[in-house]
Amino acid sequence: DRPGLLARDAAMLARLFDVLTRKARATGGAPLRVARLGGYFREGCAPEILEAVDHFAHVAGARTMIEVPWAAAARGAAYVLVAAEAGQT
């Protein structure tokens, strides 16, 4: 799994990418809506990935870490479902 960006259009995606790669600051244009996930989604991440995500979150104004209950269990269920679906082809 990799950190990723979701945006409404290519211009917003380019703006987000510039902030993430530290080429720009999150200013101008429509306000950014940023969520930062903790717990399961940070476990096992390389330090440089966590640093980049935390930098982006700070610049974009995301001050809260969101926990998703049962994320690990949901991921485990996804493995089972994908294997079951693959076996039906």
Side-chain angles (χ1 to χ4, degrees), residues 55-68:
H55 170 75
F56 176 80
H58 175 75
V59 170
R63 304 287 184 251
T64 304
M65 185 83 64
I66 298 170
E67 298 292 332
V68 178

Side-chain angles (χ1 to χ4, degrees), residues 30-60:
L32 298 175
R33 291 178 52 194
V34 177
R36 185 169 54 144
L37 295 170
Y40 173 81
F41 297 95
R42 291 179 70 90
E43 293 172 8
C45 277
E48 59 272 14
I49 298 293
L50 292 176
E51 181 183 337
V53 169
D54 290 343
H55 170 75
F56 176 80
H58 175 75
V59 170

Side-chain angles (χ1 to χ4, degrees), residues 1-5 49:
D1 292 335
R2 304 282 187 266
L5 303 173
I49 298 293

